[in-house]
Amino acid sequence: MNMEIRDIRRWHRRMGILLAPFLFLQGLSGLILTYGVFTQVASTLAENSPEAVQTAWSLIIAKMHHGPGLFGWIYHSLIGIGLLWMTLSGAWIWWDLRRRKKVSLNK
């Protein structure tokens, strides 16, 4: 199977666009869980909200980030495979650009 560089670039771009919202959600939920990024805002709002709402918010963030069950396993596997593809194809594209630059400089 011989993929041309333009095909690799096309798939790299498509995968990046597809993965971007999911990676954003993973990053945002990870920040919230790890550092309590919005702790002050949440605590201010939580003072006026019932305990059930506070617990539901924490549960939603945790489920969004960790994704339990089969769906979570598939979701995280696809994100991982997508990241691997982006890394490998990005390195391939970079290496090809570098090679082309060397060839054009030697002419």
Side-chain angles (χ1 to χ4, degrees):
M1 181 173 104
N2 188 8
M3 262 185 136
E4 292 188 27
I5 195 70
R6 74 170 179 261
D7 295 328
I8 293 169
R9 286 180 182 207
R10 184 180 314 125
W11 283 105
H12 183 84
R13 183 175 46 250
R14 288 176 180 172
M15 187 65 71
I17 291 168
L18 180 69
L19 282 176
F22 299 109
L23 292 174
F24 178 80
L25 288 175
Q26 283 297 113
L28 181 64
S29 62
L31 284 172
I32 291 170
L33 289 172
T34 302
Y35 298 109
V37 172
F38 303 110
T39 304
Q40 290 178 341
V41 174
S43 64
T44 303
L45 294 173
E47 290 173 1
N48 300 325
S49 63
E51 174 103 14
V53 173
Q54 297 171 28
T55 306
W57 173 249
S58 298
L59 186 63
I60 288 169
I61 295 295
K63 280 191 174 185
M64 181 173 60
H65 187 76
H66 298 295
L70 181 62
F71 176 76
W73 182 84
I74 293 170
Y75 171 76
H76 287 107
S77 296
L78 290 176
I79 287 179
I81 291 167
L83 279 173
L84 286 173
W85 164 254
M86 293 298 291
T87 303
L88 295 173
S89 62
W92 193 342
I93 291 167
W94 174 80
W95 189 261
D96 184 67
L97 287 173
R98 186 173 172 219
R99 181 186 58 79
R100 287 182 187 196
K101 189 175 182 179
K102 277 186 179 180
V103 169
S104 70
L105 289 175
N106 290 334
K107 285 186 177 181

